[in-house]
Amino acid sequence: DNQRLIVSSYPEDQYARVYSPDGSFSDVSQLADFNLDNYVRIPAGTSTLLAYLDANAGLNMTFKEERLIV
């Protein structure tokens, strides 16, 4: 209940980690499928995030828009 799941979908630095309050973390990347195109990517338009949490849990989501210019 006091841990944080941090997921990075940057192509050059993909990971999924569970952080403890002391800053230590466990790599849980083996539980993720980074080969899926839709893994933590938010499509254009309106989206809905569904999360199932127990009564004492909290949820905070941060995302940013990026564009690839070629």
Side-chain angles (χ1 to χ4, degrees):
D1 62 349
N2 61 357
Q3 296 176 313
R4 295 178 297 134
L5 172 64
I6 306 294
V7 178
S8 171
S9 60
Y10 288 112
E12 68 282 356
D13 188 24
Q14 294 181 339
Y15 60 82
R17 298 175 181 156
V18 175
Y19 284 85
S20 295
D22 66 2
S24 64
F25 66 87
S26 298
D27 184 359
V28 293
S29 298
Q30 73 277 7
L31 303 174
D33 189 348
F34 288 107
N35 294 317
L36 295 176
D37 287 340
N38 62 353
Y39 190 76
V40 302
R41 292 203 175 119
I42 301 170
T46 302
S47 297
T48 301
L49 171 71
L50 296 176
Y52 297 95
L53 307 169
D54 67 32
N56 297 320
L59 175 67
N60 181 16
M61 181 176 175
T62 303
F63 66 93
K64 65 180 180 178
E65 181 179 357
E66 294 187 348
R67 298 174 188 259
L68 177 62
I69 299 173
V70 291

